[in-house]
Amino acid sequence: MKNIVITDNIKYIGVDDKDIDLFEGQYVVPNGISYNSYLILDEKVAVMDTVDMRACEEWLENLKKALNGRTPDYLIVSHLEPDHAGSVAGLISAYPNVALVGNAKTFSMLPNFFDVEQQEKLEVKEGDTLTLGRHTLQFFMAPMVHWPEVMVTYEQTEKILFAADGFGKFGALDTEEDWTCEARRYYFNIVGKYGAPVQALLKKAAGLDISMICPLHGPILKENLGFYIEKYDIWSSYKPEDSGVFIAYASIHGNTAKAAHMLKEQLLELGVEKVAITDLARDDMAEAVEDAFRYDRMVLAASSYDGGLFPPMEDFLMHLKAKTYQNRKVAIVENGSWAPSAAKKMKEYLEGMKDICILEPIVTIKSTVRKETEAELQTLAEVLQKA
Ligand code: FEO
């Protein structure tokens, strides 16, 4: 078990998963993922969430060691998604008398996953408390952050916020890496659609005196909490985080890619502070989504295909639509050899999004990058630089 210190009577009992190929069936996690779980030892003993079924055996071992002969009284179920509630049945079979703590929504959804009809249940509502002895848990509902039954728990004595998926990141706990990058990729891909519910949760959190945040993924946050809260405020309000241009391209034969890289050089020569670029057919889609939200300007460059749009770009735009991409300035570059159709399709997607300013001119490449294309890209670069 990892020796992660929370406090004297609150133990980390989570598990790192370094073998998973795709988290939630779609996200690459080169440094794995942690399924965090905690144990509060007091007159009563509370387990704060379980872990993915993949890690159940190791987690039960961790729990047993931390219990040191005691048995859990309560299992707090903050979130039913299987990466956290996957071992509820495993816990019940090891400790049959454990009472389940959740809200009305938790208990309406729980039977979809497990047969818990016989189990004692304690249903809590907004603001309810559960005293364990010296520790008191207070529950706050966080619906749609990012499932309907999600709730967070505030431990009043040690001032710890158990934040469910909030403030989580990709990456196992034995990985030394920057929090922001993998927390941002996690946020926009998993929670990104639900900015308003996250804002509502941040308002509740603002009324609490928090000394530590214990999320269900990623490191325990003990210092400089304002930094993390500010990031969540920016992300959930759909404000750009950084000034810069993100170029996303989808190229069949390399000509659109060439134009995208040419535009990148032109932007850098004009002094644009940051230009990020991605090949939508080859690079990580989740990182492309992350970068689209990160910067204030984006360029979409894609080939026409079957009278429409080259599928890697269409896939990207469907991801952005699903995550309610908004409030950004976007430029369009299309390629088409006989009947260019990509720009029309990209525009249609963008027009269906909120507060998107489409920058002119829209550049059309006819098959290959030539002198006139270079000049049009230069004009677009100047517009982007000033936008
Ligand atoms: Fe980490 Fe929404 O589960």
Side-chain angles (χ1 to χ4, degrees):
M1 176 160 57
K2 296 219 148 21
N3 186 22
I4 294 167
V5 178
I6 311 292
T7 67
D8 286 350
N9 296 303
I10 301 183
K11 312 285 181 193
Y12 180 82
I13 55 168
V15 179
D16 273 355
D17 186 348
K18 307 269 285 198
D19 303 324
I20 192 163
D21 63 338
L22 292 173
F23 178 66
E24 292 193 357
Q26 61 172 322
Y27 304 114
V28 292
V29 281
N31 292 322
I33 186 92
S34 69
Y35 310 120
N36 296 348
S37 168
Y38 308 90
L39 181 69
I40 306 179
L41 294 161
D42 205 319
E43 288 163 31
K44 297 283 186 185
V45 175
V47 177
M48 309 301 289
D49 293 288
T50 77
V51 298
D52 195 291
M53 199 187 284
R54 292 166 51 82
C56 184
E57 211 175 306
E58 187 181 342
W59 173 71
L60 284 173
E61 276 298 307
N62 291 351
L63 173 61
K64 192 175 167 193
K65 267 187 217 147
L67 281 168
N68 197 19
R70 299 187 67 184
T71 52
D73 298 286
Y74 302 110
L75 168 65
I76 316 300
V77 184
S78 301
H79 181 21
L80 271 180
E81 198 163 12
D83 52 328
H84 307 298
S87 297
V88 168
L91 181 76
I92 291 171
S93 72
Y95 303 98
N97 294 325
V98 68
L100 306 178
V101 180
N103 53 63
K105 201 77 195 170
T106 319
F107 293 126
S108 75
M109 291 167 67
L110 193 54
N112 297 345
F113 295 96
F114 302 106
D115 177 9
V116 288
E117 212 179 320
Q118 303 306 318
Q119 213 63 29
E120 187 188 343
K121 298 177 195 73
L122 182 61
E123 188 177 308
V124 295
K125 297 187 297 302
E126 176 77 11
D128 281 358
T129 56
L130 174 64
T131 299
L132 305 174
R134 203 171 69 81
H135 297 87
T136 297
L137 304 179
Q138 187 170 23
F139 304 98
F140 295 94
M141 304 302 119
M144 299 322 296
V145 182
H146 59 124
W147 275 30
E149 85 301 350
V150 173
M151 62 183 193
V152 301
T153 306
Y154 178 65
E155 197 293 301
Q156 294 178 340
T157 306
E158 309 213 56
K159 304 185 189 312
I160 297 175
L161 181 69
F162 294 92
D165 274 333
F167 303 96
K169 74 178 265 299
F170 296 127
L173 291 191
D174 68 357
T175 309
E176 285 283 323
E177 64 182 358
D178 173 56
W179 181 86
T180 311
C181 191
E182 283 296 72
R184 187 195 297 110
R185 189 168 71 98
Y186 176 92
Y187 176 84
F188 281 114
N189 286 280
I190 292 177
V191 191
K193 180 178 176 182
Y194 302 105
V198 173
Q199 283 280 309
L201 179 59
L202 289 175
K203 283 198 178 70
K204 290 182 192 182
L208 301 172
D209 180 12
I210 300 168
S211 67
M212 194 186 303
I213 297 175
C214 289
L216 287 178
H217 301 288
I220 286 82
L221 307 175
K222 297 181 177 178
E223 287 168 4
N224 201 12
L225 299 187
F227 170 83
Y228 305 104
I229 291 168
E230 190 191 351
K231 288 290 180 205
Y232 256 62
D233 186 34
I234 293 169
W235 298 342
S236 59
S237 56
Y238 300 100
K239 289 179 200 144
E241 183 181 350
D242 288 323
S243 175
V245 178
F246 174 52
I247 303 172
Y249 69 82
S251 182
I252 304 172
H253 297 294
N255 293 302
T256 307
K258 188 175 169 189
H261 283 279
M262 182 179 280
L263 181 61
K264 178 182 174 181
E265 292 311 312
Q266 290 166 329
L267 287 164
L268 290 172
E269 271 171 36
L270 287 169
V272 172
E273 49 283 68
K274 173 76 192 177
V275 185
I277 190 162
T278 198
D279 176 349
L280 293 171
R282 291 177 179 80
D283 298 335
D284 175 26
M285 181 59 77
E287 193 161 340
V289 169
E290 174 201 345
D291 279 341
F293 279 98
R294 179 175 179 178
Y295 297 107
D296 57 342
R297 288 153 285 171
M298 179 169 70
V299 178
L300 302 176
S303 314
S304 305
Y305 195 83
D306 286 345
L309 183 58
F310 189 38
M313 177 60 80
E314 187 136 28
D315 188 27
F316 177 54
L317 286 165
M318 284 195 287
H319 275 80
L320 291 187
K321 189 175 167 208
K323 302 301 171 191
T324 64
Y325 180 77
Q326 57 188 270
N327 188 33
R328 301 290 189 279
K329 291 165 183 157
V330 185
I332 294 173
V333 177
E334 68 171 350
N335 195 345
S337 293
W338 62 94
S341 52
K344 182 170 175 275
K345 197 82 185 162
M346 288 190 274
K347 223 171 153 213
E348 277 170 18
Y349 272 103
L350 294 169
E351 283 167 353
M353 297 172 187
K354 195 176 155 196
D355 296 332
I356 296 293
C357 169
I358 299 176
L359 299 173
E360 299 284 346
I362 289 172
V363 175
T364 298
I365 308 162
K366 292 238 174 77
S367 305
T368 58
V369 176
R370 282 166 297 163
K371 272 266 167 290
E372 57 268 31
T373 324
E374 194 173 339
E376 283 179 48
L377 289 173
Q378 182 64 37
T379 305
L380 184 61
E382 285 162 19
V383 169
L384 279 158
Q385 190 248 334
K386 292 190 191 105

